[in-house]
């Protein structure tokens, strides 16, 4: 029996910074009646290069903040945190937890025709080999996976250089080794990369299918809530709250681009207290 | 009267991560007989966008760690910590403290001929206006200062793309507004930027004098130790110890490039305990 009001509780989403807003955007579009709370840990970003223990510690603090907001579910909208801290958070959260790696890996396996999948992400995500493990969970043994770290993509996305010559040249350098391996499917293994998706798609060419896991994550959120009887049937206007561990001004300025709509209100919190 | 052995104690250097190694490199080259202890707070990097209170808290912890290493001096090799925490650390350290902003600002004022100075740095350093305040302390009222945040430079430096077409194009975009203002002096206001100094100098052209404060900081360290009678006259091989709050492997791999020599040994510490 679900207690009254439980379904009206917000979905909690955390990320190392702004990238997770591309995941939130997909969730808001798939589940327009859901209230949401987003926490972007920009004050300690990027997570990509930090050690697994540090990531687990940060993720627990982010979880405790979201618990305080009485969320009914937690979405880890950060590839690095998903790969390092998912098991830990799932054990401790007391609410369903969805992460971003498995949905993208599963979709890549569904889409590939030649069994050759490319994965791009931060250095941390690539070194952790989390996508390789995830893809192999859903794929036959003989699947081929090539990875490439693209550290500059995050900076380029945040700088707003989503098109243009410089970003195209950077993309060509990063993608060349993958294309040489004749991949036909490319996983955007970092939540910043959807901003560069147009340019990445163009560079990869029409024969390569891009996997932006945001939509698959949103599907999984829907599925999880539906099977737990926690979908919000209240058709009133959904509320969306935004928190950051860094400058609010910065969060609002850059975040609006990631969310593809303005962020009117955001609040700064001291995440170290959690 | 200086107690025996006092001069043999190491110089302590802390930074938010790896950038401070370019300052350490200058110190090691200027004072080759000095023992040093370096702490890079990569686990909590970057400092650039954090609140001043957080920076002061972190800096005190870094200071206490260095005090435990029995250093004879502390160098704050981070622009953000220099701007937020210098007064506080100087009061509490019990040893001389040198920071990185004033030496660069002073040198820029010494070098400019037309009174038009440019400053490049992280978004945090630029927004804090710390170089503007510092330059105005040493300069007549009518000095002109133009600032430019160059967020992609840190990523390019860490990626090892210190030369080449892409970095040149990025530099051209970032420097164009400064060059239009006819600056004749350009302060590298971020300890990562010395890695790109060759390319930045080329882009800025022969009429612009680049200020890499590392050498000026090293001069100030020499001066301070000399006047306190704390220069190490012992001509034996100097010892250099490295500590980080994050992955040792990462620190050694990237850090060697910043130091321009391999880092053989480094140790991870839990800075939150201090």
């Amino acid at each position: 029996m679900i207690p009254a009001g439980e379904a009206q509780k917000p979905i909690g989403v955390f990320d190392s910074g702004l990238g997770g807003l591309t995941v939130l955007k997909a969730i808001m579009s798939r589940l327009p009646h859901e209230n949401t709370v987003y926490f972007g840990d920009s004050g300690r970003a990027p997570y990509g290069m930090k050690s697994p223990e540090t990531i687990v510690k940060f993720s627990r603090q982010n979880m405790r903040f979201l618990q305080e907001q009485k969320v009914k579910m937690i979405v880890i909208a950060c590839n690095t945190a998903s790969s390092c801290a998912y098991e830990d958070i799932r054990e401790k959260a007391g609410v369903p937890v969805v992460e971003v790696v498995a949905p993208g890996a599963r979709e890549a396996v569904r889409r590939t025709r030649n069994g050759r999948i490319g994965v791009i992400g931060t250095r941390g995500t690539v070194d952790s080999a989390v996508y390789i493990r995830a893809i192999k969970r859903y794929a036959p043994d003989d699947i081929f996976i090539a990875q490439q770290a693209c550290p500059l993509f995050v900076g380029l996305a945040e700088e707003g250089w989503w098109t243009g010559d410089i970003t195209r040249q950077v993309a060509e350098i990063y993608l060349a080794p993958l294309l040489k391996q004749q991949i036909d499917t490319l996983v955007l293994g970092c939540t910043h990369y959807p901003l560069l998706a147009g340019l990445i798609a163009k560079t990869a060419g029409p024969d390569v299918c891009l996997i932006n896991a945001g939509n698959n994550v949103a599907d999984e959120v829907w599925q999880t809530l539906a099977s737990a009887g926690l979908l919000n049937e209240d058709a009133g206007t959904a509320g969306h709250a935004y928190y950051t561990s860094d400058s609010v001004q910065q969060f609002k300025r850059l975040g609006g681009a990631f969310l593809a709509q303005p962020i009117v209100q955001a609040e700064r919190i001291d995440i170290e207290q959690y």
Side-chain angles (χ1 to χ4, degrees), chain A:
Chain A
M1 182 67 192
I2 312 294
E6 209 57 18
Q8 278 74 49
K9 286 183 176 176
I11 298 169
V13 180
F14 78 79
D15 177 45
S16 58
L18 299 162
L21 290 168
T22 62
V23 177
L24 179 66
K25 182 184 160 208
I27 294 172
M28 283 163 65
S29 151
R30 178 81 176 82
L31 298 112
H33 302 319
E34 296 292 337
N35 300 304
T36 66
V37 176
Y38 183 90
F39 172 63
D41 196 9
S42 305
R44 305 189 293 191
Y47 282 10
M49 304 294 282
K50 293 188 170 75
S51 68
E53 305 88 73
T54 303
I55 303 301
V56 168
K57 191 183 108 185
F58 286 1
S59 297
R60 286 184 192 170
Q61 291 177 311
N62 302 345
M63 173 196 75
R64 286 194 284 267
F65 169 72
L66 291 177
Q67 286 172 324
E68 201 182 84
Q69 312 311 308
K70 305 205 179 310
V71 299
K72 63 180 174 182
M73 160 182 260
I74 289 175
V75 179
I76 308 179
C78 164
N79 284 274
T80 308
S82 290
S83 78
C84 300
Y86 170 62
E87 300 294 339
D88 187 85
I89 297 302
R90 195 183 54 171
E91 247 173 46
K92 293 182 171 58
V95 294
V97 178
V98 167
E99 52 87 58
V100 293
V101 172
R106 215 159 36 214
E107 182 71 4
V109 171
R110 255 199 301 261
R111 292 293 192 91
T112 184
R113 292 138 294 158
N114 70 358
R116 303 181 73 81
I117 296 173
V119 176
I120 54 177
T122 62
R123 179 86 56 200
T125 297
V126 164
D127 287 351
S128 75
V130 56
Y131 274 98
I132 294 184
R133 288 194 302 278
I135 289 170
K136 291 200 164 161
R137 262 205 305 279
Y138 302 111
D141 285 345
D142 61 348
I143 202 127
F144 172 85
I145 308 163
Q147 293 195 111
Q148 177 67 44
C150 308
L152 288 169
F153 276 178
V154 167
L156 290 164
E158 294 198 346
E159 191 71 327
W161 295 7
W162 305 343
T163 55
D165 249 19
I166 289 175
T167 306
R168 187 185 48 71
Q169 291 170 70
V170 173
E172 279 169 5
I173 290 174
Y174 282 149
L175 298 187
L178 300 178
L179 297 175
K180 201 182 277 179
Q181 296 291 346
Q182 300 178 290
I183 58 158
D184 75 345
T185 306
L186 179 60
V187 179
L188 303 184
C190 169
T191 51
H192 272 74
Y193 297 178
L195 296 180
L196 307 176
L199 189 138
I200 293 172
K202 217 167 165 182
T203 308
D207 296 335
V208 175
C209 168
L210 242 59
I211 308 294
N212 170 7
N215 296 328
N216 307 98
V217 172
D219 284 343
E220 187 148 329
V221 168
W222 184 90
Q223 190 93 47
T224 308
L225 290 178
S227 67
L230 283 173
L231 281 173
N232 191 5
E233 313 285 357
D234 188 346
T237 309
H240 305 289
Y242 301 94
Y243 297 89
T244 174
S245 52
D246 198 349
S247 148
V248 163
Q249 193 194 349
Q250 188 90 303
F251 183 88
K252 293 197 324 197
R253 190 173 62 83
L254 286 171
F258 284 76
L259 200 59
Q261 63 183 67
I263 296 176
V264 179
Q265 173 78 22
E267 197 178 313
R268 183 173 185 154
I269 61 155
D270 179 6
I271 191 66
E272 307 274 354
Q273 290 186 333
Y274 287 86

